[in-house]
Amino acid sequence: MNVREIRAHLRRELAGTGVDPADADLMAAEIATNAILHTASGRPGGRVWLTVIVSPERARIEITDQGGTPKEPQIPHSASLNGRGLLIVQELADRWGWTRDASGRTTVWFELPRTGETPP
């Protein structure tokens, strides 16, 4: 998936769930863009995967890259002029984090609360 496809799919998955789609869209776009810029996901034939899990209390959005970088996701210094995507995620998400599997693929995830009386 590319960033545009991730955003469109995420909006469809979150429709009617009571999760703020604007915040989710922004954070997913930042993470997917990082994956494309800094990992094998941005090379020809590269891929990015999106997982959306909605529970009665919250939604968890996971974006997985194709690996290929030894660098760990990190939040830049507040004075940095670029690379602020994870800083946005840190500020908007209830919780967030990342994992790396044995093949080197990194998954960055975040959680947002559900509001209202909408069913999962």
Side-chain angles (χ1 to χ4, degrees), residues 50-120:
L50 169 70
T51 304
V52 179
I53 304 164
V54 180
S55 73
E57 297 83 27
R58 65 187 60 256
R60 179 179 173 114
I61 291 87
E62 301 176 352
I63 297 175
T64 303
D65 66 40
Q66 201 161 342
T69 181
K71 293 171 58 176
E72 296 179 355
Q74 52 187 282
I75 296 180
H77 185 274
S78 62
S80 177
L81 297 177
N82 59 6
R84 300 172 67 89
L86 289 179
L87 185 60
I88 291 169
V89 173
Q90 177 180 300
E91 293 300 315
L92 295 177
D94 271 11
R95 295 177 358 142
W96 79 280
W98 64 275
T99 60
R100 182 167 289 151
D101 68 17
S103 70
R105 291 180 178 167
T106 300
T107 299
V108 178
W109 58 268
F110 62 89
E111 294 180 354
L112 291 170
R114 293 184 62 216
T115 59
E117 297 298 320
T118 54

